[in-house]
Structure formats: structure tokens, C-alpha cells
Amino acid sequence: MGLSRKAWNNVVIFSMLIMIFFLNGLHHKLNPPEEELGRVLILPEQSFILALAYPGVKIERIGTSWRIESELPHDGRQPYTEQDLIEIIKLWQNSELEMISAPEVNTEQAVSVATFWLAAEELPLSYQLYLLNGQYILFAKRSQRWLQLSPQQAQQLFKPIEV
């Protein structure tokens, strides 16, 4: 005993609906929508920074205050006050940069790198700084975003290592 004409119609209709949903989902997986270029925060919103490390320098939260450990040569006195460290951290948290299309850059030639350890994040966030044709560019490794910054912004964000 076979299916009636009405039952076969239902089978065909449901098969077509399933195929449409599948192909629509597959289309979005193969061609993800381009993220709009514009101004974005460097760090995720409401992020709680536990530590920030540059090559040879680490700034870390100790209770409610901050301290810096540096392997870089200096004249024996502490070059940064706690207020300086707070300002560097706030600058990273509050700065918005212009997102740009991925430039042609040799990723082996980063000028510097900043690594953040955030509360409730298992892995650190890494930001690589590049100098390309006189322009500073920041690469947010996890989100795969390229951000453009002025020489002044680069100097402020990477202040402890003097870019």
C-alpha cells in the first residue's frame, strides 16, 4: 500500500522547505556578512583588565591598585606613577579606532605587541602594532580586525615601551 497523492504532496513540500533552510544557512556560512567599517572600541565593552603586557614590561592589577614590572633599562627610579598606569589602562578601555580593510603587511614585522588578560576570559587578547608607510595599524588577533591609529595614539597606548 503506497502513499496517497495528498501524502506525497506533503512529503515534497516538507522536503523543499528543509532544503531551502539548509541552503540558506549554508550560504551564510560560506559568505559571512562583511563587518561594517567604522569606529570601534579596541577592547570588548565592559572588560575588566587584570594585566597588560608589552615586550619586557608588565602592568598588573594588585587589588585596587596597579604596579609595573619592567625588564627594560632605566635609571633606577620608577618611571611611572600609579596614576600613569591607570591612565594607560583607561586609554585602552575607552579608545575608539577606525576599522580598516586588511592591509598588505608582513605579519612577522610587528613593531610591538600588547597582550591583555581579562577577567572571565580564559585566553589573553593580543594586539599587534605595525608601522606601514608612515601609518600605525593595530591588528586585533582574536577578532581579526585591523584598526588605524595616529602616531600620537600609538605613543599613548604603547607608552611604557616608547614606540
Side-chain angles (χ1 to χ4, degrees):
M1 189 164 148
L3 293 175
S4 69
R5 185 173 182 89
K6 185 176 181 182
W8 274 113
N9 284 344
N10 287 338
V11 168
V12 170
I13 290 170
F14 282 110
S15 299
M16 294 301 283
L17 285 173
I18 290 170
M19 194 167 75
I20 289 169
F21 286 125
F22 173 74
L23 291 175
N24 190 32
L26 185 64
H27 164 74
H28 287 295
K29 287 279 189 210
L30 292 176
N31 299 321
E34 286 265 334
E35 196 171 15
E36 284 188 34
L37 301 180
R39 296 190 71 74
V40 294
L41 284 169
I42 301 173
L43 292 174
E45 218 170 329
Q46 304 295 321
S47 54
F48 187 79
I49 299 172
L50 301 174
L52 160 59
Y54 301 104
V57 178
K58 187 170 187 181
I59 300 171
E60 55 189 348
R61 182 183 298 273
I62 306 297
T64 57
S65 61
W66 293 90
R67 78 167 179 208
I68 187 169
E69 294 177 9
S70 178
E71 299 167 6
L72 300 178
H74 55 84
D75 58 10
R77 63 181 178 82
Q78 180 64 23
Y80 298 102
T81 65
E82 186 179 343
Q83 189 58 40
D84 292 334
L85 302 179
I86 290 170
E87 286 175 19
I88 292 168
I89 296 296
K90 281 186 178 176
L91 196 60
W92 276 99
Q93 287 178 312
N94 300 326
S95 289
E96 284 187 358
L97 297 178
E98 194 69 31
M99 195 163 60
I100 60 171
S101 304
E104 292 292 322
V105 66
N106 181 353
T107 54
E108 302 295 317
Q109 295 180 342
V111 174
S112 188
V113 100
T115 306
F116 289 87
W117 285 266
L118 305 177
E121 290 277 342
E122 198 172 310
L123 298 171
L125 294 178
S126 178
Y127 295 87
Q128 297 168 332
L129 181 68
Y130 295 93
L131 182 57
L132 184 66
N133 302 326
Q135 294 286 321
Y136 282 101
I137 299 170
L138 194 65
F139 178 59
K141 205 164 185 171
R142 185 182 295 174
S143 63
Q144 297 289 302
R145 289 179 173 167
W146 291 91
L147 308 167
Q148 187 165 10
L149 59 165
S150 70
Q152 180 188 6
Q153 288 171 315
Q155 186 178 18
Q156 290 172 332
L157 292 172
F158 289 84
K159 185 176 181 177
I161 55 169
E162 307 294 331
V163 206

